[in-house]
Amino acid sequence: MYGCPHCGKLKFVPFRCHSRFCPTCGNKYAMQRTASMSFKLVNVTHRHCVFTIDKNLWHFFLEDRTLLNCLFHAVNSVISRMFFKQNHSMDFTPGFIMVLHTFGRDLKWNPHIHCLIPEGGYSDNGFWRNVHHFNYTYLRNAFRTALPNEMEANPGITFKKVKSQCCREHKDGFYVYARPNKCDPKTVVKYIGRYLGRPVIATSRIDRYDGGSVTFHYNRHEDDAYVEETIPIMEFIGRLVQHIPEKHYKMIRYGGIYARHREIDKKPHRTISHKKHHIYRSFNQWRTAILCSFGYDPLKCECGTTMLFLELYFNHKRVSLEELYGKAMSRSRGKRSSA
């Protein structure tokens, strides 16, 4: 609860639910992840690639979600191998950020990986080598081979028929999309949150709800045509809830130099210097985020005075911060003792 010291007006601000699936909290989560990823970016040109899979494989990942890890492992091995094949006198390690999307624009189940890859690699002796040519033919064919192999490594699962079917139907490999325009560091920082941390659907895409059905729109990926779809409310909810990730499941993963924590990996020039980190983090604070998004200060009273923090409420009861801290610490000590 906040209060105005001049006119006495009160304002209650609710806590977030902290769910990545919630449009509001998911957007907050995306902002925080965007800032965290931006701090890691090396100040070089990046490629935005999308690794898609055969439709015949979709249901395997829906029935057994542990197989989603195979997507990350396959992309990791393919990119690492591509850079290894371009090494000459010394080994160069790339850096890449992988993000799992299980949804398409129509909200249906469509697992695929978005990946940001810098145009270059870093050697163990501190030398950066630029790599401007990406062999997309190799990426497509290698990903078509690597993914079924990763899936087949799981015990009790046989993919021999699926592997042969993928080879017959995808002679040119799985579709690997790369943006035709290369992404300079500043552009990457701007759109990284849009592609690498967005919720399943933005509320702006939901047009109508009449109590029985929901109408939403999207631009079709194949031809960018505008599509408006109306479906029953339970079907709409069903499409959404299938994309809720398991608790603590990591949808964003880092590879190469972006995953390592060594002193030598700190030498490449980053897009955002360490001195500016606190500035970018300040944009994610509740008050600043509201001001930047909607153009008004949520703690500015109608009389022009800044409101002050008065009280904290938990379970509809007034509590002190010291009391909440004590309860949290006692629960933590109880868990450690039981373990």
Side-chain angles (χ1 to χ4, degrees), residues 173-226:
F174 287 163
Y175 182 60
V176 177
Y177 170 77
R179 293 179 65 87
N181 54 322
K182 301 174 184 177
C183 307
D184 63 89
K186 293 183 179 180
T187 305
V188 169
V189 172
K190 288 181 179 179
Y191 80 72
I192 192 174
R194 176 184 175 188
Y195 282 100
L196 304 189
R198 62 181 180 178
V200 176
I201 185 173
T203 52
S204 59
R205 287 178 50 199
I206 302 176
D207 301 320
R208 293 183 301 277
Y209 170 59
D210 59 9
S213 60
V214 177
T215 301
F216 66 97
H217 69 271
Y218 59 92
N219 291 90
R220 193 162 49 207
H221 180 74
E222 292 78 11
D223 52 7
D224 203 38
Y226 179 87

Side-chain angles (χ1 to χ4, degrees), residues 14 69 92 120 157 165 332:
N69 293 320
F92 290 86
I157 302 178
Q165 183 180 1
S332 177

Side-chain angles (χ1 to χ4, degrees), residues 97-144:
I97 303 174
M98 301 173 291
V99 179
L100 172 66
H101 280 186
T102 60
F103 52 89
R105 296 181 180 180
D106 57 358
L107 306 182
K108 294 180 180 178
W109 182 260
N110 178 12
H112 57 280
I113 296 286
H114 287 258
C115 191
L116 273 178
I117 313 172
E119 288 191 342
Y122 194 56
S123 65
D124 290 339
N125 62 356
F127 180 78
W128 179 269
R129 175 189 171 189
N130 292 318
V131 176
H132 300 297
H133 173 68
F134 279 37
N135 190 339
Y136 292 109
T137 301
Y138 169 79
L139 289 176
R140 290 192 293 267
N141 291 322
F143 187 56
R144 180 198 60 190

Side-chain angles (χ1 to χ4, degrees), residues 55-308:
K55 291 183 178 180
N56 296 322
L57 298 178
W58 288 359
H59 69 94
F60 289 106
F61 298 95
L62 183 60
E63 295 168 0
D64 183 4
R65 299 198 178 219
T66 60
L67 292 177
L68 291 172
N69 293 320
C70 298
L71 285 170
F72 289 107
H73 298 327
V75 172
N76 192 331
S77 63
V78 168
I79 296 175
S80 300
R81 182 63 182 172
M82 184 189 71
F83 275 80
F84 178 78
K85 290 170 67 70
Q86 299 187 48
N87 293 333
H88 296 290
S89 58
M90 62 183 75
D91 292 338
F92 290 86
T93 304
F96 44 95
I97 303 174
M98 301 173 291
V99 179
L100 172 66
H101 280 186
T102 60
F103 52 89
R105 296 181 180 180
D106 57 358
L107 306 182
K108 294 180 180 178
W109 182 260
N110 178 12
H112 57 280
I113 296 286
H114 287 258
C115 191
L116 273 178
I117 313 172
E119 288 191 342
Y122 194 56
S123 65
D124 290 339
N125 62 356
F127 180 78
W128 179 269
R129 175 189 171 189
N130 292 318
V131 176
H132 300 297
H133 173 68
F134 279 37
N135 190 339
Y136 292 109
T137 301
Y138 169 79
L139 289 176
R140 290 192 293 267
N141 291 322
F143 187 56
R144 180 198 60 190
T145 304
L147 180 59
N149 290 340
E150 289 285 345
M151 297 171 67
E152 198 171 27
N154 289 268
I157 302 178
T158 303
F159 285 98
K160 291 183 179 179
K161 293 184 179 180
V162 177
K163 288 172 64 176
S164 60
Q165 183 180 1
C166 290
C167 292
R168 291 194 307 268
E169 297 181 359
H170 301 275
K171 295 182 179 180
D172 296 329
F174 287 163
Y175 182 60
V176 177
Y177 170 77
R179 293 179 65 87
N181 54 322
K182 301 174 184 177
C183 307
D184 63 89
K186 293 183 179 180
T187 305
V188 169
V189 172
K190 288 181 179 179
Y191 80 72
I192 192 174
R194 176 184 175 188
Y195 282 100
L196 304 189
R198 62 181 180 178
V200 176
I201 185 173
T203 52
S204 59
R205 287 178 50 199
I206 302 176
D207 301 320
R208 293 183 301 277
Y209 170 59
D210 59 9
S213 60
V214 177
T215 301
F216 66 97
H217 69 271
Y218 59 92
N219 291 90
R220 193 162 49 207
H221 180 74
E222 292 78 11
D223 52 7
D224 203 38
Y226 179 87
V227 178
E228 189 176 273
E229 190 171 351
T230 301
I231 58 178
I233 179 61
M234 296 309 298
E235 181 181 346
F236 179 77
I237 294 176
R239 290 193 190 183
L240 293 180
V241 298
Q242 66 180 342
H243 304 296
I244 299 178
E246 279 67 20
K247 191 174 183 179
H248 303 307
Y249 187 80
K250 295 182 179 179
M251 306 287 285
I252 303 174
R253 304 189 188 185
Y254 302 90
I257 60 173
Y258 287 156
R260 301 187 309 189
H261 301 281
R262 304 186 307 174
E263 289 297 324
I264 193 172
D265 293 330
K266 297 179 181 179
K267 292 185 178 181
H269 180 60
R270 305 289 171 172
T271 302
I272 301 175
S273 64
H274 186 73
K275 297 179 180 179
K276 297 181 180 179
H277 285 189
H278 71 282
I279 299 177
Y280 281 79
R281 287 196 180 99
S282 66
F283 294 144
N284 295 332
Q285 296 176 358
W286 168 75
R287 183 179 181 184
T288 308
I290 294 294
L291 180 61
C292 294
S293 300
F294 302 105
Y296 74 94
D297 188 345
L299 295 184
K300 207 74 169 180
C301 184
E302 295 177 354
C303 65
T305 308
T306 301
M307 291 184 170
L308 302 177

Side-chain angles (χ1 to χ4, degrees), residues 31-46:
M31 292 170 60
Q32 294 173 341
R33 296 306 305 172
T34 298
S36 177
M37 286 186 285
S38 301
F39 298 156
K40 293 177 177 287
L41 293 180
V42 179
N43 192 27
V44 296
T45 302
H46 285 65

